[in-house]
Amino acid sequence: MLKLAALFGDNAVLQRDRAVPVWGWCAPFRRVRATLGDGSAETRSGADGKFLLRFPPMPSAVRLTLQVTELESGETATAQNIALGEVWLASGQSNMEFKVSSLADGGAELRRRADAGELDAVRMLTVPRNALLTPARDVDAAWQTASAATIDDWSAVALFFAKKLADELAVPVGVLASSWGGTIAEAWTSGETLARNPDIARAYSEYLLRTGSTEYWDSLSPEELEIPMRNFETALFTHLPPEPENSGFSAGWAESAYDDSNWDRTALPAQWKEFDLNTNGTVWFRRKVEIPAEWAGRELILTLGAVDKHDITYFDGVEVGRTGSGYDTSCWDVCRVYRIPSELVRPGLRVIAVRDYSFAYDGGLTGPASGMKLAPADAEREKISIAGEWSYKIETDLGPAFPHLSGMGLCCPNSFSILFDNMIRPLVPAALRGVIWYQGESNAIRFHQYERLMRDLIADWRFHFAQGDIPFLQVLLAGYRTAMDYDPNSEWAPIREAQSRAAAATGNLVASAVDAGDAADIHPKDKQTVGERLAAAALMQAYGGKEEGSGPVFRSQTRSGDALLLSFDHAAGGLIAPDGRPHGFWIAGNDRVFKPAEAVIAGVKVAVSSPQVPEPVAVRYGWSDNPRSADLRNSAGLPALPFRTDKFDDGENE
């Protein structure tokens, strides 16, 4: 009957130099004694049989044995090969969940290093996905040591992070990896904290009442009620029909000459539900485009934006790209970028046709509008927008896949507090050094709320883990979508600003991934840069390292003639740019119209000016979804965080 929580099984890493909580379950009201190396601890189980004991702080060590004994019965639980080192919690959405096997080389180099023993100091426990409405008591997971046979499914960011720490600190590093792609911050925040957020409290209360009603549970099918704790998405999808035959292509729906005058019309980007398609199956979208004469015979780049879930895309009846297969849920928000061969490009009216297949939840061409365009591969500025009115027709109507699970509730990972309850709460109160967090893409459309959400989430986790203000290191979202020097309508620039403000307000550093992105892929494959920048931040914030752990962070501006002089934190060693003059700066006067700016480094400051703005009041830097030209760095080579010095969008100016 004696059982230890999953965190304390074989190969576990426990936090050195801090009191170490260890818990589990036995008969009620029994004395429980434990030993770990030279340390010992004792407690008594409660009425529910749970016990929690704490070892005193101990230094780094390896190959220890943890033994826990229930004294009355003599029953013993033992865990071998325990290490005392550094423990970090890695969480967020798909870019933190991104597996080693998904790296550009399929993980081959990391597997080689694992076989060579170079990753022996790193261990990981991956929390399985779980989105049930009853909070989990424990997680069905085990610690793994690094080997070619184990690391394929590990978080790549977390592995690169842990490897860098292990090398620098010369101690074992363990990661508790708890992530889920496509999830919102509200799902990772406790209900107690959500109830205090005025933006969310009412909706949270209504959600609790709805999911606690007899009507809600009576509405669920037997299949929905049989969802197991693990792999419940797989269990759900086994009840779905296979992807329908592509009958639309056989009917000529991809051809330019096809008459779609009797099809319905809708404005894109949009989710299906936004134009009353509350179903699943396949929907075709068509749009005519006028190809200029000067484009004839030139390769084109077609950017659709995101398509929820899978697509097959045609130009003039010829397939030019497809994304997704089976019941893959990882590509619902991936921007589609397809090349149209030069031999297909002829002047006149041509048709783009997209077959959108969604087997669950919602579907649609979801944009953003700025990312829906057609342009010559060698002259992107000649782009034609393809946002706006499209024709559409349902090819196969499968009906709602999970009519009761499509919204917040059972098995929906984007339900209020559900991932905190199932994937974080069971880890509390583990001894940690800190948290690394890569999330925000799913909250980008509501960026105005994100600073408050993240400040609350950070305080929430610090409270529950009860170890003071442990470091909580966020990743600034990677560059994505079309590279632009400046975009006043950017969604990701303000979400990055919210991330930075939340970090500043809570005393944390961030790691910028802005320059490590991929215009065509929301899941860029350069996870080593991200992981190692998180490690640099950790070494500075958590361990007092003297090496710089952050890129330059805007602090203040002063007027100097017709220029604005900007000061930065994390720039003590000086500022640099590839050609000595940093790019990515835009400047505005009282008319609030931003113009490209000249920037000159002056030691630890940057002077920004433009002949078009003789009386400047504000500067923006790296202000777009994918500001590839932004290249200001500090002497450690870390990129400056994007920023704005104004509050124009908030109806005021600083």
Side-chain angles (χ1 to χ4, degrees), residues 305-500:
V307 180
D308 185 3
K309 310 277 183 307
H310 304 165
D311 75 286
I312 306 175
T313 297
Y314 305 87
F315 182 82
D316 246 6
V318 178
E319 181 181 329
V320 293
R322 64 170 66 199
T323 301
S325 63
Y327 297 133
D328 181 8
T329 60
S330 67
C331 55
W332 67 275
D333 55 357
V334 173
C335 180
R336 275 45 164 188
V337 180
Y338 300 134
R339 290 184 174 269
I340 299 174
S342 57
E343 59 268 23
L344 297 181
V345 182
R346 299 183 299 276
L349 275 180
R350 303 298 164 198
V351 167
I352 298 166
V354 180
R355 181 183 188 262
D356 178 13
Y357 166 52
S358 179
F359 50 84
Y361 315 121
D362 210 344
L365 275 62
T366 58
S370 61
M372 299 181 70
K373 60 190 178 182
L374 183 67
D378 57 358
E380 188 179 331
R381 294 184 181 276
E382 298 179 26
K383 65 185 178 184
I384 294 173
S385 173
I386 57 172
E389 185 177 274
W390 287 62
S391 304
Y392 74 92
K393 186 178 180 66
I394 297 175
E395 178 190 54
T396 307
D397 187 345
L398 298 176
F402 317 121
H404 309 300
L405 303 187
S406 296
M408 285 192 177
L410 179 66
C411 295
C412 175
N414 280 327
S415 301
F416 292 131
S417 78
I418 201 165
L419 301 185
F420 179 87
D421 285 340
N422 288 284
M423 298 177 66
I424 299 298
R425 196 183 292 274
L427 310 179
V428 173
L432 305 173
R433 182 65 68 185
V435 177
I436 55 174
W437 174 262
Y438 196 158
Q439 190 274 339
E441 298 93 336
S442 290
N443 283 91
I445 196 170
R446 294 178 288 112
F447 59 79
H448 292 100
Q449 298 176 353
Y450 196 70
E451 180 186 349
R452 169 67 189 263
L453 282 171
M454 282 311 304
R455 291 175 66 166
D456 282 357
L457 190 151
I458 293 167
D460 188 31
W461 289 21
R462 284 173 167 175
F463 170 80
H464 279 92
F465 283 100
Q467 292 161 76
D469 289 345
I470 57 174
F472 194 108
L473 308 174
Q474 299 175 80
V475 178
L476 283 194
L477 297 188
Y480 176 51
R481 303 176 179 136
T482 302
M484 299 176 67
D485 289 340
Y486 176 69
D487 180 6
N489 300 312
S490 170
E491 289 181 350
W492 284 25
I495 201 80
R496 292 187 189 112
E497 178 182 57
Q499 291 178 311
S500 298

